[in-house]
Amino acid sequence: MTGITARREGAPLSRANPFRPGFGVSPRVLAGRDELLEEFDTALDEGPGSPLRSVLVSGARGMGKTVILNELEEAARVRGWLVVRLPETGDLVEELVSTALPMLLAEHDGERAVRRRLTGAGIAGVGSLSTTARERYEVRETAATLLARLLDVLAGHDTGLLFTLDELQAVDRESVAAFAALYQHLVRDERDVALAAAGLPVGVGKLLQHRGTTFLRRAERVQLGPLSTTEVIDALRRTVTEAGGVVSEDALLTLAEVIHGYPYLLQLAGYRAWRDADREPITVAHARATLPVLSERMGRLVHEPALRDLPQAQRSYLEAMSLDDGPSSTGAVAARLGLTAQHANVFRTRLIERELITPTGHGRVDYALPYLRDHLRRLAATE
Ligand SMILES: Nc1ncnc2c1ncn2[C@@H]1O[C@H](COP(=O)(O)OP(=O)(O)O)[C@@H](O)[C@H]1O
Ligand SMILES: [Mg+2]
């Protein structure tokens, strides 16, 4: 390992593992998601008023929400837009007023930037920059005023401001409402703004029921789903070959089978296979060997947290499904639970809303996420 990384720069191939099996880490090669990115690009170009400028992304853990936000930020930056990442904790508007906006203004407001240069504050680190900025603008200037000023400056360059907000389900509702009000005014005034937020399905659903966030309901809802087999295979192949590795077509197919279109597993399976192959070509055997780890990690990092705050009745529904090796008949599940079809249907609907199960037609449902069956069976076996 050290022998490889210690090679001189410009050495032909660095064989460091190119996969990134972690949450919030952008992949080397992005699989799929072109449609969403294209739509957002168009929305930015179309000018104020385009409905696709406000996007609300929901999806399970590991489905690629944070990665998508990063991509949308990049799309905005490429156009010269500024990006404000709203914090997941604390008061969103307060954060804008006290830190984010003063810093951006200090940097981009020409008139004031001159003053900053004269006072010599510009070369200092971020900490002192924000202190000077704070003195200059003072917290009393409202977020609206600061935003208006910043957007005036940006309008001079034909660019705008993108707000992003991750883990939306965890943000304080009042705080989101206050920010939504602010954002709504900017949209009404046809300012060059955009918003991309992401969160877990149920949390986002609940948040939108809150009165103050009505406006967000009009945002474009994007349910991030699994990637197609082709998208998975293309991304795997490119990730491996661009890093100087070799993978057989059969191995790619096997990897796609164990990945089930799930972005986090794409990275994890790729990572493990690459590591096991140890600089030799990746084979079907390497691909197959990733399976136990994929199942275990999904259980621990995705299913366990998702099931933690699941009402018992819904959990029982999921457990009853685990007796089947494939899609379950809703009638059979109701019978196993000793419930009427109508009653069982309530839980079925909730689980669909949570994106934990999906209807597969003909009165059948299946797990929406890979290895959930394994996880539930493991739990049942240890009880
Ligand atoms: N479109 C994609 N193509 C390839 N890998 C992806 C893609 N989206 C996400 N990933 C990978 O999946 C993992 C989880 O992504 P992340 O954005 O953190 O998920 P979430 O925020 O939904 O929990 C990361 O390792 C990331 O690199
Ligand atoms: Mg995330």
Side-chain angles (χ1 to χ4, degrees):
M1 181 73 199
T2 36
I4 300 163
T5 46
R7 252 192 235 159
R8 267 184 309 114
E9 245 187 282
L13 295 176
S14 149
R15 301 297 292 272
N17 200 316
F19 291 96
R20 306 267 167 82
F23 293 87
V25 196
S26 281
R28 283 249 189 119
V29 176
L30 185 78
R33 313 300 191 215
D34 328 300
E35 207 178 311
L36 172 57
L37 295 174
E38 275 162 29
E39 278 185 356
F40 192 69
D41 272 348
T42 312
L44 293 185
D45 291 340
E46 267 175 5
S50 170
L52 293 173
R53 278 190 172 195
S54 311
V55 204
L56 208 49
V57 179
S58 71
R61 281 183 189 77
M63 200 57 98
K65 299 179 295 297
T66 302
V67 164
I68 275 296
L69 289 187
N70 291 345
E71 293 295 321
L72 298 177
E73 288 180 351
E74 191 51 30
R77 286 205 187 92
V78 166
R79 284 171 169 68
W81 281 47
L82 296 185
V83 176
V84 173
R85 255 187 215 191
L86 296 164
E88 289 149 29
T89 52
D91 185 317
L92 302 184
V93 176
E94 169 64 26
E95 160 73 14
L96 280 176
V97 174
S98 66
T99 315
L101 294 174
M103 277 180 72
L104 288 173
L105 277 163
E107 201 175 325
H108 298 277
D109 186 343
E111 251 170 65
R112 321 215 184 190
V114 172
R115 256 180 62 197
R116 189 187 70 218
R117 240 175 277 134
L118 291 176
T119 57
I123 32 171
V126 170
S128 69
L129 179 66
S130 88
T131 321
T132 350
R134 200 177 307 207
E135 280 163 17
R136 201 175 307 130
Y137 293 102
E138 282 300 331
V139 184
R140 68 183 132 69
E141 275 189 87
T142 65
T145 317
L146 292 175
L147 277 168
R149 175 68 200 153
L150 184 58
L151 288 163
D152 283 343
V153 173
L154 295 178
H157 304 282
D158 262 340
T159 66
L161 189 58
L162 164 68
F163 298 97
T164 59
L165 180 50
D166 204 355
E167 306 288 353
L168 184 57
Q169 81 284 342
V171 184
D172 171 63
R173 284 194 306 190
E174 299 299 332
S175 177
V176 175
F179 172 75
L182 194 62
Y183 180 75
Q184 180 170 16
H185 274 110
L186 297 173
V187 172
R188 267 206 210 121
D189 293 347
E190 307 219 328
R191 306 306 302 247
D192 260 315
V193 286
L195 169 67
L200 297 172
V202 190
V204 172
K206 280 207 187 111
L207 186 79
L208 292 183
Q209 284 158 21
H210 186 51
R211 220 197 279 150
T213 59
T214 320
F215 168 73
L216 283 180
R217 262 182 246 159
R218 268 176 258 144
E220 172 83 355
R221 288 295 297 275
V222 179
Q223 285 192 355
L224 274 195
L227 303 162
S228 72
T229 304
T230 319
E231 287 166 344
V232 168
I233 289 183
D234 285 350
L236 285 168
R237 189 190 287 114
R238 277 186 51 205
T239 311
V240 171
T241 52
E242 283 175 16
V246 176
V247 55
S248 76
E249 289 303 306
D250 287 349
L252 287 172
L253 278 171
T254 308
L255 283 169
E257 270 166 35
V258 295
I259 287 166
H260 295 276
Y262 198 81
Y264 168 67
L265 292 183
L266 191 165
Q267 298 302 320
L268 183 59
Y271 184 87
R272 301 292 298 204
W274 176 284
R275 208 179 70 176
D276 281 357
D278 193 20
R279 277 171 273 175
E280 296 295 319
I282 298 173
T283 64
V284 172
H286 298 129
R288 277 215 193 97
T290 63
L291 189 64
V293 174
L294 302 196
S295 176
E296 187 272 331
R297 291 283 171 85
M298 272 301 276
R300 189 154 47 85
L301 302 178
V302 176
H303 301 321
E304 208 202 287
L307 297 184
R308 208 175 287 147
D309 43 37
L310 192 68
Q312 185 53 48
Q314 292 177 49
R315 197 190 170 106
S316 301
Y317 195 103
L318 289 179
E319 285 164 359
M321 285 173 62
S322 75
L323 300 186
D324 301 305
D325 292 327
S328 304
S329 135
T330 52
V333 172
R336 281 171 203 164
L337 293 168
L339 296 173
T340 62
Q342 266 164 324
H343 198 173
N345 201 24
V346 175
F347 306 129
R348 188 187 69 111
T349 309
R350 299 260 159 80
L351 288 166
I352 293 172
E353 279 163 12
R354 278 179 187 263
E355 296 177 22
L356 285 171
I357 66 173
T358 39
T360 54
H362 304 295
R364 283 176 184 275
V365 285
D366 200 0
Y367 297 114
L369 299 174
Y371 306 110
L372 181 50
R373 188 189 330 274
D374 285 9
H375 179 69
L376 292 164
R377 284 180 177 178
R378 270 198 302 267
L379 289 181
T382 54
E383 257 159 24

